[in-house]
Amino acid sequence: MKDFIFLFTTGEAKYKQIYQQIKTLIEQRNLKSNDCLPSIRKLADTLQVSRNTTLTAYEQLVAEGYIRGEGRKGYFVNTLEMIFSQEEMMPYQPAQKVRQASIVDFRAGSVDQQYFPLKTWRQMANQILQLKDSYVYGDSFGEQRLKEQLVHYLLQARGVKINEEDIIIGSSTQQLLVYLGFLLKEDFDSIIVENPGYIGAREAFQLHNFTMEPLAVNENGTQLQQLAHLQSRLIYVTPSHHFPYGVSMSIQQRQALIHWAKEVDGFIIEDDYDSEFRYAQQPFPALASLDKSHVIYVGTFSKSFLPGIRLSYMVLPKSLIGRYKRYFAHFEQNASSLHQLTMASFMEKGEWTRHIKRMRLIYKHKMSFLVETLKKQFGDHMTIVGEHSGLYVLIKFHTHHTEQQLIQSALEYGVKVYPTSPYFLQQPSHEPIIQLGFSNLKLDEIQLGMQLLKKAWCTN
C-alpha cells in the first residue's frame, strides 16, 4: 500500500485536489498498475478530511477508469496505456512574462469608452426588452425598424436614396462580403482590390477563390488609370477614407470609377467604414449616391459607435437584391435583433446624430493633439499621412530601421504600435510606415506615448 503526501491549496474543493493529485501520480507512473491505494477511512484520517471527501475523489477516479474497487480488498490502480507526452504530463507552471506590459496602446479600431452613451443605450435596451419582438427570431435580412432609420440616415448623411427592401443587415462587413461572394462568383471570377488595402475584405474574397488584381494606392490617391490594364469587372474600394492611407477620391475620380463600372458592366463594392469622421470638410457623398445600379454599398456601426455591437449593413442594387434574398431566405440572421432594435430606437430619438456630432469634435481634438505632438517630438524624421479624417494616422519614418525593429523598440519602452506591411499584397520596399490609433486614448496618454516613442526611436 502506497503512502504519499497531499498538498492542499485554497480556492478549490478538497475532493477535487485529492482526485487531481492521485490522477497525476498515476499518469506520471509514480503509482503503478495494481498498486493498492489507502482505504477511504485511512486516507481521510491522514488528510484530516471527511470520509465523504475521499469517497467522492475515489468515485471520480473509478468513473474515469484510473482505479478500480475490489470489494473488501480496497482500491487498486488500473493498467493505463500512456498516451500522454512528457510535455502534457509536466505540472502546470504559469507562463513567464518576457516583455514589459504595454503602458500605451495605439491600437486602431477601438472607440472612446469615456464618452460612450452608456446610460442612454442601457435605458433603451431595457425598453426594447419589454417588446414582444425581442422574444422571437428576427427577420433574416434585418429588423424593419432599423432599415427605416437607415433609409433616412443614408439620404441625409451620405446622399444615398434607397428603400428599406434594398438593405441587408449583418454582423460585420466581412460577414456580409462572405455572403455576397456566393452570389457574385456566379458572374465573376476575379476582383480588383486596393493595394494596400483592408485584409478582412481580401480574406473574404479569397475564401471564394477570386483572383485578386491589385490597384495601386499611395498617399496621393488611387491610381485609377491602371483600370485600363486590368481584366476584372468587379472592384472593392474605400473611396471616402482609404484604408490605410486615409486619402479620399475626388468627385472626378468618383465619376471616372462609375463610368468604368458602366463600361465593363460590373460592380463597385463601396466600403464606407468610417465616413462620419472627416475633420477638414463635411463627409463626401457616397459613390452609391451617384449610381445605385452599379454600386454595392457597405457600412458599419463598429467604427463610429461600438465594435462589440457587431452590426453592419449593405445596400444592394435592384439587379442583385432579389437573388440575394432567394439565396439566403432560409438562413437565420446573425446580427443580434436586440441590438438592431436598440439602435433603431437610438436613431429614432436623435441620439445617433448627437453622438456622431459629439464624437467628431472629440476625435478631431485628439487628432490635432496627436499630430502636433508627433511634429514636436520627431520633426523632420517622419511624415504624417492621413491626418484629416479617421481614427488613426500613419507615420512614415525616415530611418534605416525596419518596421519590425521600430515596433519592437517601442514595445521595450511599453508602447504598442502597429505595422502596415500586412496591408500590402506585396512586401513594400519603401520606408517603414507605422499605424497609430488614438480613439480610446486620453490626451495625457497620447503625450506619454509620444515621449516614450521618442526615447525608443531616437536613441537607437
Side-chain angles (χ1 to χ4, degrees), residues 284-302:
F284 292 174
L287 274 174
S289 69
L290 302 178
D291 186 340
K292 292 182 295 186
S293 62
H294 290 88
V295 177
I296 299 166
Y297 180 88
V298 184
T300 182
F301 291 102
S302 293

Side-chain angles (χ1 to χ4, degrees), residues 249-260:
M249 286 188 186
S250 66
I251 183 60
Q252 292 82 6
Q253 287 178 310
R254 291 163 185 258
Q255 289 174 335
L257 189 54
I258 293 291
H259 178 75
W260 169 86

Side-chain angles (χ1 to χ4, degrees), residues 311-322:
L311 202 54
S312 297
Y313 51 93
M314 175 169 64
V315 179
L316 290 176
K318 297 296 184 184
S319 59
L320 293 178
I321 188 68

Side-chain angles (χ1 to χ4, degrees), residues 368-378 446-447 450:
S368 299
F369 184 79
L370 174 61
V371 169
E372 178 185 340
T373 310
L374 274 168
K375 290 177 179 178
K376 186 181 298 183
Q377 293 290 352
F378 298 103
I446 293 174
Q447 185 167 34
M450 291 298 103

Side-chain angles (χ1 to χ4, degrees), residues 32-285:
K32 296 182 172 54
S33 178
N34 297 316
D35 278 351
C36 183
L37 298 178
S39 68
I40 291 172
R41 177 183 294 180
K42 180 177 181 182
L43 185 58
D45 291 343
T46 301
L47 300 179
Q48 297 183 342
V49 298
S50 71
R51 295 179 189 178
N52 281 340
T53 298
T54 53
L55 174 61
T56 303
Y58 275 14
E59 286 178 339
Q60 184 65 34
L61 290 164
V62 169
E64 294 185 20
Y66 284 94
I67 64 174
R68 66 185 185 276
E70 296 187 0
R72 296 178 178 272
K73 293 182 180 180
Y75 290 89
F76 298 85
V77 177
N78 278 333
T79 301
L80 191 65
E81 181 180 351
M82 286 295 140
I83 58 173
F84 309 101
S85 67
Q86 285 299 115
E87 182 179 344
E88 289 172 326
M89 291 193 295
M90 290 290 289
Y92 170 76
Q93 293 180 345
Q96 298 296 313
K97 290 184 178 180
V98 296
R99 291 177 178 171
Q100 177 181 345
S102 60
I103 300 172
V104 181
D105 188 348
F106 284 99
R107 179 179 179 178
S110 57
V111 299
D112 193 321
Q113 182 178 354
Q114 181 181 357
Y115 292 98
F116 182 77
L118 179 60
K119 183 178 179 180
T120 302
W121 181 261
R122 181 183 289 152
Q123 288 174 344
M124 292 185 178
N126 288 339
Q127 291 168 3
I128 291 301
L129 282 171
Q130 298 176 31
L131 302 178
K132 289 183 179 180
D133 289 348
S134 297
Y135 295 88
V136 297
Y137 284 100
D139 188 280
S140 295
F141 304 109
E143 296 300 321
Q144 184 69 16
R145 285 180 60 187
L146 179 56
K147 290 182 180 183
E148 290 170 358
Q149 293 305 310
L150 284 171
V151 167
H152 297 304
Y153 172 69
L154 291 176
L155 178 60
Q156 175 267 324
R158 311 299 295 123
V160 183
K161 188 175 182 180
I162 54 172
N163 299 315
E164 291 94 335
E165 60 265 23
D166 301 330
I167 303 175
I168 303 294
I169 307 295
S171 63
S172 69
T173 296
Q174 191 176 41
Q175 174 262 315
L176 288 171
L177 292 177
V178 168
Y179 275 37
L180 181 65
F182 285 102
L183 189 67
L184 294 177
K185 67 182 180 182
E186 289 188 349
D187 303 311
F188 304 91
D189 58 11
S190 62
I191 186 169
I192 299 166
V193 294
E194 297 167 321
N195 183 36
Y198 173 44
I199 302 172
R202 294 206 304 257
E203 291 292 330
F205 303 138
Q206 190 167 349
L207 190 66
H208 293 292
N209 295 317
F210 281 106
T211 299
M212 282 180 277
E213 293 188 281
L215 177 66
V217 184
N218 56 36
E219 49 263 59
N220 298 315
T222 307
Q223 308 303 299
L224 289 181
Q225 68 275 11
Q226 294 181 1
L227 288 175
H229 308 290
L230 302 177
Q231 301 300 313
S232 304
R233 296 184 297 116
L234 186 63
I235 186 171
Y236 166 85
V237 289
T238 52
S240 293
H241 183 232
H242 171 262
F243 184 86
Y245 275 125
V247 292
S248 299
M249 286 188 186
S250 66
I251 183 60
Q252 292 82 6
Q253 287 178 310
R254 291 163 185 258
Q255 289 174 335
L257 189 54
I258 293 291
H259 178 75
W260 169 86
K262 290 180 177 179
E263 284 288 307
V264 301
D265 191 24
F267 288 108
I268 303 163
I269 302 174
E270 177 183 15
D271 188 346
D272 205 27
Y273 66 100
D274 71 347
S275 60
E276 293 87 358
F277 301 124
R278 186 167 186 83
Y279 309 122
Q281 305 91 18
Q282 289 295 313
F284 292 174

